Amino acid sequence: MRRRIIYKGRVQGVGFRWNTSEALKGSEVTGFVRNLADGSVELLIEGTTECVDEAQKRVDERMRGYWISRRSENRGGDPHYGDFRILY
């Protein structure tokens, strides 16, 4: 499964991407995190449903207080990424 999450709030310039990467170390997900031009952050995570749910929970909890809203959508299909990375 693949899940795309858009975080809005004070999410750029606060280490959101780095903290997301750290939160997901050791998890069995692939994908990326990147800043978007509108000031939000995009997180794409791939893996089993359980792993994706746990990964989102880790990021949500670690970055609580920075994001004020998030929107997510689940997508099917095979994984596109071999690891998790920060995109610039």
Side-chain angles (χ1 to χ4, degrees):
M1 109 165 306
R2 182 177 306 108
R3 182 174 298 155
R4 180 177 183 248
I5 308 161
I6 304 295
Y7 290 93
K8 295 187 180 238
R10 192 167 59 99
V11 295
Q12 290 191 14
V14 295
F16 197 99
R17 291 175 299 166
W18 181 85
N19 276 290
T20 295
S21 180
E22 288 297 304
L24 299 182
K25 281 190 176 169
S27 65
E28 296 181 25
V29 295
T30 60
F32 64 83
V33 62
R34 68 178 167 187
N35 288 341
L36 297 178
D38 68 358
S40 61
V41 169
E42 176 184 21
L43 172 61
L44 183 89
I45 41 181
E46 304 174 322
T48 66
T49 301
E50 296 79 19
C51 289
V52 169
D53 288 345
E54 177 62 27
Q56 181 177 349
K57 181 180 174 184
R58 286 184 186 187
V59 174
D60 286 355
E61 289 176 0
R62 184 168 182 139
M63 298 311 295
R64 189 171 314 281
Y66 293 97
W67 58 272
I68 57 171
S69 69
R70 70 180 185 288
R71 179 178 39 107
S72 67
E73 65 179 294
N74 291 334
R75 302 173 174 181
D78 294 326
H80 288 79
Y81 299 90
D83 60 2
F84 187 83
R85 63 184 69 171
I86 297 173
L87 298 181
Y88 296 95

Coordinates of all heavy atoms in Angstrom, one line a residue:
M1 N 0.8 -1.2 0.0 CA 0.0 0.0 0.0 C 0.9 1.2 0.0 O 2.0 1.2 0.4 CB -0.9 0.0 1.2 CG -0.6 1.0 2.2 SD -1.7 1.5 3.5 CE -3.1 2.0 2.9
R2 N 0.3 2.3 -0.5 CA 1.0 3.6 -0.5 C 0.1 4.6 0.1 O -1.1 4.6 -0.2 CB 1.3 3.9 -2.0 CG 2.1 5.1 -2.2 CD 2.4 5.4 -3.7 NE 3.1 4.2 -4.2 CZ 2.6 3.3 -5.1 NH1 1.3 3.5 -5.5 NH2 3.2 2.3 -5.5
R3 N 0.6 5.5 0.9 CA -0.2 6.6 1.5 C 0.6 7.9 1.3 O 1.8 8.0 1.6 CB -0.4 6.4 3.0 CG -1.3 7.5 3.6 CD -1.6 7.1 5.1 NE -2.4 5.9 5.1 CZ -2.4 5.1 6.2 NH1 -1.7 5.4 7.3 NH2 -3.2 4.0 6.2
R4 N -0.2 8.9 0.8 CA 0.3 10.2 0.6 C -0.3 11.1 1.7 O -1.5 11.1 1.8 CB 0.0 10.8 -0.8 CG 0.5 12.2 -1.0 CD 0.2 12.6 -2.5 NE 0.7 13.9 -2.7 CZ 0.0 15.0 -2.9 NH1 -1.4 14.9 -2.9 NH2 0.5 16.1 -3.2
I5 N 0.5 11.8 2.4 CA 0.0 12.7 3.5 C 0.6 14.1 3.3 O 1.8 14.3 3.1 CB 0.5 12.2 4.9 CG1 0.1 10.7 5.1 CG2 -0.2 13.0 6.0 CD1 0.9 10.0 6.1
I6 N -0.3 15.1 3.4 CA 0.1 16.5 3.3 C -0.1 17.1 4.7 O -1.2 17.1 5.2 CB -0.7 17.3 2.3 CG1 -0.6 16.6 0.9 CG2 -0.3 18.7 2.2 CD1 0.7 16.6 0.2
Y7 N 1.0 17.6 5.3 CA 1.0 18.2 6.6 C 1.0 19.8 6.3 O 1.8 20.3 5.6 CB 2.2 17.9 7.4 CG 2.2 16.4 7.9 CD1 2.8 15.4 7.2 CD2 1.5 16.1 9.1 CE1 2.8 14.1 7.6 CE2 1.5 14.8 9.5 CZ 2.1 13.8 8.8 OH 2.1 12.5 9.2
K8 N 0.1 20.5 7.0 CA 0.1 21.9 7.0 C 0.3 22.5 8.4 O -0.1 21.8 9.4 CB -1.2 22.4 6.4 CG -1.4 22.0 5.0 CD -2.6 22.6 4.3 CE -2.7 22.1 2.9 NZ -2.7 23.2 2.0
G9 N 0.8 23.7 8.5 CA 1.1 24.3 9.7 C 2.5 24.9 9.7 O 2.9 25.3 8.6
R10 N 3.2 24.9 10.8 CA 4.6 25.4 10.9 C 5.5 24.2 10.6 O 6.0 23.6 11.6 CB 4.9 26.0 12.2 CG 6.1 26.8 12.2 CD 6.3 27.7 13.5 NE 6.2 26.9 14.7 CZ 7.2 26.5 15.4 NH1 8.5 26.9 15.0 NH2 7.1 25.9 16.5
V11 N 5.5 23.8 9.4 CA 6.2 22.5 9.0 C 7.5 22.7 8.2 O 8.1 21.7 7.9 CB 5.2 21.5 8.3 CG1 4.1 21.1 9.3 CG2 4.6 22.1 7.1
Q12 N 7.7 23.9 7.8 CA 9.0 24.1 7.0 C 9.9 25.0 7.9 O 9.4 25.9 8.6 CB 8.7 24.8 5.7 CG 8.1 23.8 4.7 CD 8.0 24.4 3.3 OE1 8.7 25.3 2.9 NE2 7.2 23.7 2.4
G13 N 11.2 24.7 7.8 CA 12.2 25.5 8.6 C 12.3 25.1 10.0 O 12.8 25.8 10.9
V14 N 11.7 23.9 10.4 CA 11.7 23.4 11.8 C 12.3 22.0 11.9 O 12.1 21.4 12.9 CB 10.3 23.4 12.4 CG1 9.8 24.9 12.5 CG2 9.3 22.6 11.6
G15 N 12.9 21.5 10.8 CA 13.5 20.2 10.8 C 12.4 19.1 10.6 O 12.7 17.9 11.0
F16 N 11.3 19.4 10.0 CA 10.3 18.4 9.8 C 10.7 17.2 9.0 O 10.5 16.1 9.3 CB 9.0 19.1 9.1 CG 7.8 18.3 9.2 CD1 6.8 18.6 10.2 CD2 7.5 17.2 8.4 CE1 5.7 17.9 10.3 CE2 6.3 16.5 8.5 CZ 5.4 16.8 9.5
R17 N 11.4 17.5 7.9 CA 11.9 16.4 7.0 C 12.9 15.5 7.7 O 12.8 14.3 7.7 CB 12.5 16.9 5.7 CG 11.4 17.6 4.8 CD 12.0 18.2 3.6 NE 12.9 19.3 4.0 CZ 13.8 19.9 3.2 NH1 13.9 19.5 2.0 NH2 14.6 20.8 3.7
W18 N 13.9 16.1 8.4 CA 14.9 15.4 9.1 C 14.3 14.5 10.2 O 14.6 13.4 10.4 CB 16.0 16.3 9.7 CG 17.0 15.6 10.4 CD1 18.2 15.0 9.9 CD2 17.1 15.3 11.8 NE1 18.9 14.4 10.8 CE2 18.3 14.5 12.1 CE3 16.3 15.6 12.9 CZ2 18.6 14.1 13.3 CZ3 16.7 15.1 14.2 CH2 17.8 14.4 14.3
N19 N 13.4 15.2 11.0 CA 12.7 14.4 12.1 C 11.8 13.3 11.6 O 11.8 12.2 12.2 CB 11.9 15.4 12.9 CG 12.7 16.1 14.0 OD1 13.1 15.5 15.0 ND2 12.9 17.4 13.8
T20 N 11.2 13.5 10.4 CA 10.4 12.4 9.8 C 11.3 11.3 9.5 O 11.0 10.1 9.8 CB 9.7 12.9 8.6 OG1 8.7 13.9 9.0 CG2 9.0 11.8 7.8
S21 N 12.5 11.6 8.8 CA 13.4 10.5 8.5 C 13.9 9.8 9.7 O 14.0 8.5 9.7 CB 14.6 11.1 7.7 OG 15.5 10.2 7.4
E22 N 14.2 10.5 10.8 CA 14.7 9.9 12.0 C 13.6 9.0 12.6 O 13.8 7.9 13.2 CB 15.1 10.9 13.0 CG 16.4 11.6 12.7 CD 17.6 10.6 12.7 OE1 17.8 10.0 13.7 OE2 18.3 10.5 11.7
A23 N 12.3 9.5 12.6 CA 11.2 8.8 13.2 C 11.0 7.4 12.5 O 10.5 6.5 13.1 CB 9.9 9.6 13.1
L24 N 11.3 7.4 11.2 CA 11.0 6.2 10.4 C 12.2 5.2 10.3 O 12.1 4.2 9.7 CB 10.6 6.6 9.0 CG 9.3 7.4 9.0 CD1 8.8 7.7 7.6 CD2 8.2 6.7 9.8
K25 N 13.4 5.6 10.9 CA 14.5 4.7 10.9 C 14.1 3.4 11.6 O 13.5 3.4 12.7 CB 15.7 5.3 11.6 CG 16.4 6.3 10.8 CD 17.7 6.7 11.4 CE 18.4 7.6 10.3 NZ 19.6 8.2 10.9
G26 N 14.4 2.3 11.0 CA 14.1 1.0 11.6 C 12.7 0.5 11.2 O 12.4 -0.6 11.5
S27 N 11.9 1.3 10.6 CA 10.6 0.9 10.2 C 10.7 0.3 8.8 O 11.7 0.5 8.1 CB 9.6 2.0 10.1 OG 10.0 3.0 9.2
E28 N 9.7 -0.5 8.4 CA 9.8 -1.2 7.2 C 8.9 -0.5 6.1 O 8.0 -1.1 5.5 CB 9.3 -2.7 7.3 CG 10.3 -3.5 8.2 CD 9.8 -4.9 8.4 OE1 9.1 -5.4 7.6 OE2 10.2 -5.5 9.5
V29 N 9.3 0.8 5.9 CA 8.6 1.5 4.9 C 9.6 2.2 3.9 O 10.7 2.4 4.3 CB 7.7 2.6 5.5 CG1 6.5 2.0 6.3 CG2 8.4 3.6 6.3
T30 N 9.1 2.5 2.8 CA 9.9 3.2 1.8 C 9.1 4.5 1.4 O 8.0 4.6 1.8 CB 10.2 2.4 0.5 OG1 9.0 2.0 -0.1 CG2 11.0 1.1 0.9
G31 N 9.8 5.4 0.6 CA 9.1 6.6 0.2 C 9.9 7.8 0.3 O 11.2 7.7 0.2
F32 N 9.3 8.9 0.6 CA 10.0 10.2 0.7 C 9.2 11.2 1.5 O 8.0 11.1 1.7 CB 10.3 10.8 -0.7 CG 9.1 11.1 -1.5 CD1 8.5 12.4 -1.3 CD2 8.6 10.3 -2.5 CE1 7.4 12.8 -2.0 CE2 7.5 10.6 -3.2 CZ 6.9 11.9 -3.0
V33 N 9.9 12.3 1.9 CA 9.4 13.4 2.5 C 10.0 14.6 1.8 O 11.2 14.6 1.5 CB 9.6 13.5 4.0 CG1 11.0 13.5 4.4 CG2 8.8 14.6 4.7
R34 N 9.1 15.7 1.5 CA 9.7 16.8 0.8 C 8.8 18.1 1.1 O 7.6 17.9 1.4 CB 9.8 16.6 -0.7 CG 8.4 16.5 -1.4 CD 8.6 16.4 -2.9 NE 7.3 16.0 -3.5 CZ 7.2 15.6 -4.7 NH1 8.3 15.7 -5.5 NH2 6.1 15.3 -5.2
N35 N 9.4 19.2 1.0 CA 8.7 20.5 1.2 C 8.0 20.8 -0.1 O 8.5 20.5 -1.2 CB 9.7 21.6 1.5 CG 10.2 21.6 2.9 OD1 9.7 20.9 3.7 ND2 11.3 22.3 3.1
L36 N 6.8 21.4 0.0 CA 6.1 21.8 -1.2 C 6.1 23.4 -1.3 O 6.3 24.0 -0.3 CB 4.6 21.3 -1.1 CG 4.5 19.8 -1.2 CD1 3.0 19.4 -1.0 CD2 5.1 19.2 -2.4
A37 N 5.9 23.9 -2.4 CA 6.0 25.3 -2.7 C 4.9 26.1 -1.9 O 5.2 27.3 -1.6 CB 5.8 25.6 -4.2
D38 N 3.8 25.5 -1.5 CA 2.8 26.2 -0.7 C 3.1 26.3 0.8 O 2.2 26.8 1.5 CB 1.4 25.7 -1.0 CG 1.2 24.2 -0.5 OD1 2.2 23.7 0.1 OD2 0.1 23.7 -0.6
G39 N 4.2 25.8 1.2 CA 4.6 25.8 2.6 C 4.2 24.6 3.4 O 4.5 24.5 4.6
S40 N 3.6 23.6 2.7 CA 3.3 22.3 3.4 C 4.4 21.3 3.1 O 5.3 21.6 2.4 CB 1.9 21.8 2.8 OG 2.0 21.6 1.5
V41 N 4.2 20.1 3.7 CA 5.2 19.0 3.6 C 4.4 17.8 3.1 O 3.3 17.5 3.6 CB 5.9 18.7 4.9 CG1 6.7 17.4 4.8 CG2 6.8 19.9 5.3
E42 N 5.0 17.2 2.1 CA 4.4 15.9 1.6 C 5.2 14.7 2.1 O 6.4 14.7 2.0 CB 4.5 15.9 0.0 CG 4.0 14.7 -0.6 CD 4.1 14.7 -2.1 OE1 4.9 15.4 -2.7 OE2 3.4 13.9 -2.8
L43 N 4.5 13.7 2.6 CA 5.1 12.5 3.0 C 4.4 11.4 2.2 O 3.2 11.3 2.2 CB 4.8 12.3 4.5 CG 5.2 10.9 5.1 CD1 6.7 10.6 5.0 CD2 4.8 10.9 6.6
L44 N 5.2 10.6 1.5 CA 4.7 9.4 0.8 C 5.4 8.2 1.5 O 6.6 8.1 1.5 CB 5.1 9.4 -0.7 CG 4.5 8.3 -1.4 CD1 3.1 8.6 -1.9 CD2 5.4 7.9 -2.6
I45 N 4.6 7.3 2.0 CA 5.1 6.1 2.6 C 4.5 4.8 2.0 O 3.3 4.8 1.7 CB 4.9 6.1 4.2 CG1 3.5 6.6 4.5 CG2 6.0 6.9 4.8 CD1 3.3 6.6 6.0
E46 N 5.3 3.8 1.8 CA 4.9 2.6 1.2 C 5.3 1.4 2.1 O 6.3 1.4 2.7 CB 5.6 2.4 -0.2 CG 5.5 3.5 -1.1 CD 6.3 3.3 -2.4 OE1 7.5 2.8 -2.3 OE2 5.8 3.7 -3.5
G47 N 4.4 0.4 2.1 CA 4.7 -0.8 2.8 C 3.4 -1.5 3.1 O 2.4 -1.2 2.5
T48 N 3.4 -2.5 4.1 CA 2.2 -3.1 4.5 C 1.3 -2.1 5.2 O 1.8 -1.1 5.7 CB 2.5 -4.3 5.4 OG1 3.0 -3.8 6.6 CG2 3.4 -5.3 4.8
T49 N 0.0 -2.4 5.2 CA -0.9 -1.5 5.9 C -0.5 -1.2 7.3 O -0.5 -0.1 7.8 CB -2.3 -2.1 5.9 OG1 -2.7 -2.3 4.5 CG2 -3.3 -1.2 6.6
E50 N -0.1 -2.3 8.0 CA 0.4 -2.1 9.4 C 1.6 -1.2 9.5 O 1.7 -0.4 10.4 CB 0.7 -3.5 10.1 CG -0.5 -4.4 10.2 CD -0.9 -5.1 8.9 OE1 -0.1 -5.2 7.9 OE2 -2.1 -5.6 8.8
C51 N 2.6 -1.4 8.6 CA 3.8 -0.6 8.7 C 3.5 0.8 8.3 O 4.1 1.7 8.9 CB 4.8 -1.2 7.8 SG 5.6 -2.8 8.3
V52 N 2.6 1.1 7.3 CA 2.3 2.4 7.0 C 1.6 3.1 8.1 O 1.8 4.3 8.4 CB 1.5 2.4 5.6 CG1 0.9 3.8 5.4 CG2 2.4 2.0 4.5
D53 N 0.6 2.4 8.7 CA -0.1 3.0 9.8 C 0.8 3.4 11.0 O 0.7 4.5 11.6 CB -1.2 2.0 10.4 CG -2.4 1.9 9.4 OD1 -2.5 2.7 8.5 OD2 -3.1 0.9 9.6
E54 N 1.7 2.5 11.3 CA 2.7 2.7 12.4 C 3.6 3.9 12.0 O 4.0 4.7 12.9 CB 3.5 1.5 12.7 CG 4.6 1.7 13.7 CD 4.1 2.1 15.1 OE1 2.9 1.7 15.4 OE2 4.8 2.7 15.9
A55 N 4.1 4.0 10.8 CA 5.0 5.0 10.3 C 4.3 6.4 10.4 O 4.8 7.4 10.9 CB 5.4 4.8 8.9
Q56 N 3.0 6.5 10.0 CA 2.3 7.7 10.1 C 2.1 8.1 11.6 O 2.3 9.3 12.0 CB 0.9 7.6 9.5 CG 0.2 9.0 9.6 CD -1.1 9.0 8.9 OE1 -1.5 8.1 8.1 NE2 -1.9 10.0 9.1
K57 N 1.8 7.1 12.4 CA 1.7 7.4 13.9 C 3.0 8.0 14.5 O 2.9 8.9 15.2 CB 1.3 6.1 14.6 CG 1.1 6.3 16.1 CD 0.7 5.0 16.7 CE 0.6 5.1 18.2 NZ 0.3 3.8 18.8
R58 N 4.1 7.4 14.1 CA 5.4 7.9 14.6 C 5.6 9.3 14.2 O 6.1 10.2 15.0 CB 6.5 7.1 14.0 CG 6.7 5.7 14.6 CD 7.9 5.1 14.0 NE 8.1 3.7 14.4 CZ 9.2 3.0 14.1 NH1 10.2 3.5 13.4 NH2 9.3 1.7 14.5
V59 N 5.3 9.7 12.9 CA 5.6 11.0 12.4 C 4.6 12.0 13.1 O 4.9 13.1 13.6 CB 5.4 11.1 10.9 CG1 5.5 12.6 10.4 CG2 6.5 10.3 10.2
D60 N 3.3 11.6 13.2 CA 2.3 12.4 13.8 C 2.7 12.8 15.2 O 2.6 13.9 15.6 CB 0.9 11.7 13.8 CG 0.3 11.7 12.4 OD1 0.8 12.3 11.5 OD2 -0.8 11.0 12.4
E61 N 3.1 11.8 16.0 CA 3.5 12.0 17.4 C 4.7 12.8 17.5 O 4.8 13.7 18.4 CB 3.6 10.7 18.1 CG 2.3 10.0 18.3 CD 2.4 8.6 19.0 OE1 3.5 8.2 19.3 OE2 1.3 8.0 19.2
R62 N 5.7 12.5 16.7 CA 7.0 13.2 16.8 C 6.9 14.7 16.5 O 7.5 15.6 17.1 CB 8.1 12.6 16.0 CG 9.5 13.2 16.1 CD 10.5 12.3 15.5 NE 11.8 12.9 15.7 CZ 12.9 12.2 16.0 NH1 12.8 10.9 16.1 NH2 14.1 12.7 16.1
M63 N 6.0 15.0 15.5 CA 5.9 16.4 15.0 C 4.7 17.1 15.5 O 4.4 18.2 15.1 CB 6.0 16.4 13.5 CG 7.3 15.8 12.9 SD 8.8 16.6 13.7 CE 8.6 18.3 13.2
R64 N 4.0 16.5 16.5 CA 2.8 17.1 17.1 C 3.2 18.5 17.6 O 4.3 18.7 18.1 CB 2.3 16.3 18.2 CG 1.0 16.7 18.8 CD 0.4 15.8 19.8 NE 0.4 14.4 19.4 CZ -0.5 13.8 18.6 NH1 -1.4 14.5 18.0 NH2 -0.4 12.5 18.4
G65 N 2.4 19.5 17.4 CA 2.7 20.8 17.8 C 3.2 21.7 16.6 O 3.2 22.9 16.7
Y66 N 3.6 21.0 15.5 CA 4.1 21.7 14.3 C 3.0 21.7 13.3 O 2.8 22.7 12.6 CB 5.4 21.2 13.8 CG 6.5 21.4 14.7 CD1 7.0 20.4 15.6 CD2 7.2 22.6 14.7 CE1 8.0 20.7 16.5 CE2 8.2 22.9 15.6 CZ 8.6 21.9 16.5 OH 9.7 22.1 17.3
W67 N 2.4 20.6 13.1 CA 1.3 20.5 12.0 C 0.0 20.8 12.7 O -0.3 20.4 13.8 CB 1.3 19.1 11.3 CG 1.1 17.9 12.2 CD1 2.1 17.2 12.8 CD2 -0.1 17.3 12.5 NE1 1.6 16.2 13.5 CE2 0.2 16.2 13.4 CE3 -1.4 17.5 12.2 CZ2 -0.8 15.3 13.9 CZ3 -2.4 16.7 12.7 CH2 -2.0 15.6 13.5
I68 N -0.9 21.5 12.0 CA -2.2 21.8 12.5 C -3.3 21.0 11.7 O -4.4 20.9 12.2 CB -2.5 23.3 12.4 CG1 -2.4 23.9 11.0 CG2 -1.6 24.1 13.4 CD1 -2.9 25.3 10.9
S69 N -2.9 20.6 10.5 CA -3.9 19.7 9.8 C -3.1 18.8 8.9 O -2.0 19.1 8.5 CB -4.9 20.6 9.0 OG -4.2 21.2 7.9
R70 N -3.7 17.7 8.5 CA -3.1 16.8 7.6 C -4.2 16.1 6.8 O -5.3 15.9 7.2 CB -2.3 15.7 8.3 CG -3.0 14.7 9.1 CD -2.1 13.7 9.7 NE -2.8 12.7 10.4 CZ -3.5 12.8 11.5 NH1 -3.6 13.9 12.1 NH2 -4.1 11.7 12.0
R71 N -3.9 15.8 5.6 CA -4.8 15.2 4.6 C -4.1 14.0 4.1 O -2.9 14.1 3.7 CB -5.2 16.2 3.5 CG -6.1 15.7 2.5 CD -6.5 16.7 1.4 NE -5.3 17.5 1.1 CZ -4.6 17.5 0.0 NH1 -5.0 16.6 -1.0 NH2 -3.6 18.3 -0.2
S72 N -4.8 12.9 4.0 CA -4.1 11.7 3.5 C -5.0 10.9 2.5 O -6.2 11.1 2.6 CB -3.7 10.7 4.7 OG -4.8 10.2 5.3
E73 N -4.3 10.2 1.6 CA -5.0 9.4 0.7 C -4.2 8.1 0.5 O -3.0 8.1 0.4 CB -5.3 10.1 -0.6 CG -4.0 10.4 -1.4 CD -4.3 11.1 -2.7 OE1 -4.9 10.5 -3.6 OE2 -3.9 12.3 -2.9
N74 N -4.9 7.0 0.5 CA -4.3 5.7 0.3 C -4.4 5.4 -1.2 O -5.3 5.7 -1.9 CB -5.0 4.6 1.1 CG -4.8 4.7 2.6 OD1 -3.8 5.3 3.0 ND2 -5.8 4.2 3.3
R75 N -3.3 4.8 -1.7 CA -3.2 4.4 -3.1 C -2.7 2.9 -3.1 O -1.9 2.5 -2.3 CB -2.2 5.2 -3.8 CG -2.5 6.7 -3.7 CD -1.3 7.5 -4.3 NE -1.7 8.9 -4.4 CZ -0.9 9.8 -4.9 NH1 0.3 9.5 -5.3 NH2 -1.3 11.1 -4.9
G76 N -3.2 2.2 -4.1 CA -2.7 0.8 -4.2 C -1.5 0.7 -5.1 O -0.9 1.7 -5.4
G77 N -1.2 -0.5 -5.4 CA 0.0 -0.7 -6.3 C 1.2 -1.2 -5.6 O 1.3 -1.2 -4.4
D78 N 2.2 -1.5 -6.4 CA 3.5 -2.0 -5.9 C 4.3 -0.8 -5.5 O 4.2 0.3 -6.0 CB 4.2 -2.8 -7.0 CG 3.5 -4.1 -7.3 OD1 2.9 -4.7 -6.4 OD2 3.6 -4.5 -8.5
P79 N 5.3 -1.0 -4.6 CA 6.2 0.1 -4.1 C 7.0 0.6 -5.3 O 7.4 -0.1 -6.2 CB 7.1 -0.6 -3.1 CG 6.4 -1.8 -2.7 CD 5.5 -2.3 -3.9
H80 N 7.2 1.9 -5.3 CA 8.1 2.6 -6.3 C 9.5 2.9 -5.8 O 10.3 3.2 -6.5 CB 7.4 3.9 -6.7 CG 6.2 3.7 -7.5 ND1 4.9 3.4 -7.0 CD2 6.0 3.8 -8.8 CE1 4.1 3.3 -7.9 NE2 4.6 3.6 -9.1
Y81 N 9.7 2.8 -4.5 CA 10.9 3.2 -3.9 C 11.6 2.1 -3.2 O 10.9 1.2 -2.6 CB 10.7 4.4 -2.9 CG 10.2 5.6 -3.6 CD1 8.8 5.8 -3.7 CD2 11.0 6.5 -4.2 CE1 8.2 6.9 -4.4 CE2 10.4 7.6 -4.9 CZ 9.1 7.8 -5.0 OH 8.5 8.8 -5.7
G82 N 12.9 2.1 -3.2 CA 13.7 1.0 -2.5 C 14.1 1.4 -1.1 O 14.7 0.6 -0.4
D83 N 14.0 2.7 -0.7 CA 14.4 3.1 0.6 C 13.5 4.3 0.9 O 12.6 4.7 0.2 CB 15.8 3.5 0.6 CG 16.2 4.6 -0.3 OD1 15.4 5.1 -1.0 OD2 17.4 4.9 -0.4
F84 N 13.8 4.9 2.1 CA 13.1 6.2 2.5 C 14.1 7.3 2.4 O 15.2 7.1 2.9 CB 12.5 6.1 3.9 CG 11.7 7.3 4.2 CD1 10.4 7.3 3.8 CD2 12.3 8.4 4.8 CE1 9.6 8.5 4.1 CE2 11.5 9.5 5.1 CZ 10.2 9.6 4.7
R85 N 13.7 8.4 1.8 CA 14.7 9.5 1.6 C 14.0 10.9 1.7 O 12.8 11.0 1.6 CB 15.3 9.4 0.2 CG 14.3 9.5 -0.9 CD 14.9 9.3 -2.3 NE 15.3 7.9 -2.3 CZ 15.8 7.3 -3.4 NH1 15.9 8.0 -4.5 NH2 16.1 6.1 -3.4
I86 N 14.9 11.8 2.0 CA 14.5 13.2 2.0 C 14.7 13.8 0.6 O 15.8 13.7 0.1 CB 15.3 14.0 3.0 CG1 15.0 13.5 4.5 CG2 15.0 15.5 3.0 CD1 15.9 14.1 5.5
L87 N 13.7 14.4 0.0 CA 13.9 15.0 -1.3 C 14.0 16.5 -1.1 O 13.4 17.1 -0.2 CB 12.7 14.7 -2.2 CG 12.4 13.3 -2.5 CD1 11.2 13.2 -3.4 CD2 13.6 12.6 -3.2
Y88 N 14.9 17.1 -1.8 CA 15.1 18.6 -1.7 C 14.6 19.3 -3.0 O 14.6 18.8 -4.0 CB 16.6 18.8 -1.5 CG 17.1 18.3 -0.2 CD1 17.7 17.0 -0.2 CD2 17.0 19.0 0.9 CE1 18.1 16.5 1.0 CE2 17.4 18.5 2.1 CZ 18.0 17.2 2.2 OH 18.4 16.7 3.4

